[in-house]
Structure formats: structure tokens, C-alpha cells
Amino acid sequence: MWLTTTRPDTLTRFTFPYPTRLTHSRNASRFSRFFQSPARKIRVTPLQTKKLDEDHEVSSPVSPEYPSDEKFSVDLGWLSAFPHVSVASMVNFLFGYHIGVMNGPIVSIARELGFEGNSILEGLVVSIFIAGAFLGSISSGLLVDKFGYRRAIQIVTIPLILGALVSAQAYSLDEILCGRFLVGLGIGVNTVLVPIYISEVAPTKYRGFLGTLCQIGTCLGIIFSLLLGIPAEHDPHWWRTMFYAASMPGFLLALGMQFAVESPRWLCKVGRLDDAKIVIKNIWGESEVGKAIEDFQLVMKNNGSDLDSRWLELLDKPHSRVAFIGGTLFLLQQFAGINGVLYFSSLTFQNVGITSGAQASLYVGVTNFAGALCASYLIDKQGRKKLLIGSYLGMAVSMFLTVYSVGFPLDQDLSQSLSILGTLVYIFSFAIGAGPVTGLIIPELSSSRTRGKIMGFSFSVHWVCNFLVGLFFLDLVEKFGVGPVYASFGSVSLLAAAFSHRFTVETKGRSLEEIELSLNSRDDLS
């Protein structure tokens, strides 16, 4: 059997020694085009590749043993960028971990540090994380301008590591607040930087798939924290171990980014063209070098560099429109109730006999992870806009199903089953679109000059809305009941679907420079 591979701009050919000719099935053809290999043995031009895809066959090289073989193509073009993107996505693993790490141990922390029963202080320990993240998201652009994405991500691992260690060694309320704030500060900066880094490093064809690694990382972090937190139900001091464990991914992130590539677009902005060409050659393929550099320089010539951009530029067109879309998408995402539903889901599961909060949260985490995996498969096939609209429609239907189950006279078992189904469908729907697409499409629509600032602004809206939902959710449930609150979440989800249909544009399969030039010339991208 022969095995020949090509660069990302061509196809990988696996040649099997069959004496007769074989015909591709449609499914086999679709599967084969999904993979690509970074190695090279035979070059095939794009025109030849197109012809091969149409015919689903190619004449094999003449071999003394096998004079005529059939060839199958496998697309692994994403593989060269995958290690760099995976390392950066460890930020989202830490984000998810620090979301889940307070799920159960907050009671033990409050008891040991002397503020048990004070709901305000307990809430402050949780929410100070969001305050730090808000400040971090606003200041993220300053680090990138000076150090670039790779070094900036490394620098911001310092408060992540210190915050985890300070929290683990805390013996007073002030110390735990300081640790949580430092962690939030680091998360706030890096949750802005990482989606931009991925969008600028990933090959255009696989940008959606690689971008969903952020959501997958968040899901894995939540699941890992919940699994690690199981002993906390029996050991009141286990929470310190959990915070010590949170420092380890920070060290791995700092080390891993030392071997990751820098964004070729940032390298071009600071005049390091030779370095940018090397990155493009290694990650995108040698045939992309000339066109990519030409596109980078054309965009910079038209709009200038983001190194001298100002916040007030977000008020100018077309930046103001993208900032409006980004801020509104995050506002609708949060007021569609994802954090409230996640918080209340443990009570929903308790109604059907699942009394372990960790077990209930694990079901939620696995559902979230399954949705993120589906998103990674669909996002470059169906496109961002379809996933976003479909996601919010699914969230709306599931919320109204839950409202029906708790608001109408039904058999108790049926009511409980519908509540569980509605909760899980809502979480799955969120993970398949509203979660990963929102963070991905904003840097895609943003210009290179204002990308960092638009992302910083959008995530600032995210953190403020996140804080408000967490602060008022339980009070609203106590005053109005679950039904009206969940009905409002469903209504916001419908509004978000309508907004996505009206204002978002499809970015699938287009380079960031193509999108930017089209927006600047007011071309219709939808």
C-alpha cells in the first residue's frame, strides 16, 4: 500500500492496492475532504484538486507491483494549527474550571473563613471574579499592542497562577477576595485575546472548527472542576486542594505558549515580514504566503495599524456597527438566561431525586460538552449565522417547554421529565451556537485596526450582564416564580434569533481581510 501526503493547499492521497477500480460513495467523499496532512510528497494544483473532487478518482502512479490503484483523499489541513490553538484554548479550560470551582466549596469556604450565613459576602466572593474580568477585558488591548498575542497571553498567566495560590492559602475574607480578583483579571484579558489569536492564526477554511475549541475548553474545565470537587462534599478543607490544582494549567499555558506561533497579522503590523512569512508557510502552506502578505499590507494601507488606534474610533463607521453587533450579541446571550438556568438546574434535578449537586452539574456539563462537539463539526459546514439562529430558536422552545411543565396541571412524573428535558435541550442548544459562535464571529467581523478594542468592549458588556443575571436571578424567581422568569428567557432567545437574522452576516470560508474589505466597501456579506 502506498501513502502519499500533500500540503494544506492540496489533498492527501491514500492509495490502496486493489486490482479493480473503486467508486466513491457520497459519504466517503464528504468524509475524505474533512482531513488534510501538513506533509508533502505530491503537489496538486487547486484546479487539479477541483477536477479530482468532481470526478472522485485519479490515475495512480505507475508501480511495478500495482499498475492501477484508486486514491482516496483525506483532509487534515487544520492539523498544523491545532497544537498552537489547543495551547491557547487552555485559557478557556481555566475559565470553565474557575466557574465550576465555587459550585460546591463556597459553603466550606464561608464556614472556615468566618462568613457563613452571610449571603452578601458569599455572593461577593463569587462575583469579585467578574469584577476582575471586566477590568481585564478593558485593558487587554494595551498588552497586545506592546508584546503581541503570544507574549501577552504568557504575561497574563501570572495573575492566574498567583490568584489560584493566594486563594488556596487564604485564611481571611480579604485574602480569598484578592485571589479571586486576580484570577478574574487574568481570565478577563485572555478571554479577549484568545479568540482573536485563534481567528488570526487559523487557516480560513478551518477557522470555525478551531474557534470552537474555546467552548470545548470551557466545558472541559467545568467538568474537571466538578469531578475534582466531589471529595469536597465530605472533606471541608478540600477546596484548598482545588485551588492549588487550578495553578497547574497556568504553568502549562505559559510553557506551551513559548512554543506557539505569533499571529502573522500582528507580525506584519510591526514590520516583521520575514517572521510572518515563516508562520504562514508552516501553518497555512507555502502557496498562501504571497497572497496573505499582500492582503495584510492592503488592509493596513487602507485602514492603518491597530497599534495607533483609539477607543473613540469605535464611534465611526463601520467600526460602530460591529461594536453594536458584538455588544448586543453578548447582552442577548446573557439575558437569554444561560447562567441563571445553569445555576437553577441543580434544583430542577433535585425534584426528580438527584440530590447530589455535583452529579446534577455533571449531567449539565456533559450536555454542554456534547453540544460544543457538534458545533465544532457543523460550524464550517452550516455557517455561523445558521447555527446562531438555530441555537436561539432551540433555546426558546426549550424554555417554553419548561414553562409548560411547571405552569400547567400535568402528571408529576411527566412534569419533572419535561423540566429535565427542557433544561438539557436548552443547554445543548446554547452550546451548539450561542456559546461558541458569539465569541468567534465578533473578531471575524471586526477590522484589524479595531479588533482588540471591539472584543474588549463586547466582553465588557458580557461581564456586566453576567453579573446582573447572577445577582438578580434568584430574587426574580422568588418574587415571580420559575414560569415567568423562564418565559422571559425564552422571549429574549426569540429576540436574539431575530437580531442574528437581521444584523449578523455569514463569514464562513472568507479570510479576515476579505471580510474587512467587503464591510468597508459596504458589500452585502449575507
Side-chain angles (χ1 to χ4, degrees), residues 429-441:
S429 299
F430 174 85
I432 207 171
V437 173
T438 303
L440 174 66
I441 199 171

Side-chain angles (χ1 to χ4, degrees), residues 167-247:
S167 299
Q169 297 175 349
Y171 288 94
S172 69
L173 175 63
D174 292 342
E175 290 175 342
I176 192 70
L177 288 176
C178 177
R180 292 287 292 169
F181 178 82
L182 286 173
V183 168
L185 189 66
I187 291 294
V189 175
N190 275 338
T191 50
V192 172
L193 299 186
V194 170
I196 302 177
Y197 173 80
I198 293 176
S199 69
E200 295 196 357
V201 167
T204 298
K205 183 179 179 182
Y206 313 100
R207 195 172 60 235
F209 161 66
L210 293 172
T212 60
L213 292 183
C214 289
Q215 181 71 11
I216 292 174
T218 302
C219 296
L220 290 175
I222 293 174
I223 293 173
F224 184 76
S225 68
L226 294 174
L227 291 174
L228 189 62
I230 291 176
E233 297 182 1
H234 309 289
D235 184 353
H237 306 294
W238 184 253
W239 61 272
R240 296 187 183 276
T241 302
M242 296 179 68
F243 279 118
Y244 277 124
S247 66

Side-chain angles (χ1 to χ4, degrees), residues 34 203-212 375-384 387 440 444 506-509:
F34 185 71
T204 298
K205 183 179 179 182
Y206 313 100
R207 195 172 60 235
F209 161 66
L210 293 172
T212 60
S376 69
Y377 176 77
L378 294 173
I379 195 165
D380 283 319
K381 295 179 179 294
Q382 300 299 321
R384 285 64 154 156
L387 279 189
L440 174 66
E444 289 183 330
E506 187 53 66
T507 56
K508 177 186 71 172

Side-chain angles (χ1 to χ4, degrees), residues 414-429:
L414 177 60
S415 175
Q416 292 174 347
S417 298
L418 289 178
S419 296
I420 293 295
L421 178 63
T423 300
L424 294 181
V425 171
Y426 174 90
I427 293 168
F428 182 86
S429 299

Side-chain angles (χ1 to χ4, degrees), residues 284-337:
W284 300 357
E286 187 174 359
S287 63
E288 297 291 327
V289 174
K291 182 179 184 301
I293 295 296
E294 181 180 349
D295 289 344
F296 296 168
Q297 292 177 330
L298 177 61
V299 166
M300 285 193 298
K301 180 180 179 182
N302 290 341
N303 298 330
S305 170
D306 61 345
L307 301 180
D308 59 351
S309 63
R310 297 174 292 108
W311 280 98
L312 290 178
E313 292 182 32
L314 298 190
L315 301 177
D316 300 331
K317 294 182 178 180
H319 312 310
S320 59
R321 183 171 183 266
V322 179
F324 166 73
I325 293 173
T328 306
L329 282 177
F330 270 122
L331 183 145
L332 293 171
Q333 181 202 66
Q334 292 301 304
F335 284 120

Side-chain angles (χ1 to χ4, degrees), residues 56 60 102 191 215 226 244 263 266 314 348 363 468-469 475:
H56 303 298
S60 62
M102 300 297 289
T191 50
Q215 181 71 11
L226 294 174
Y244 277 124
S263 162
W266 183 84
L314 298 190
T348 304
Y363 288 141
L468 293 175
V469 170
D475 286 339

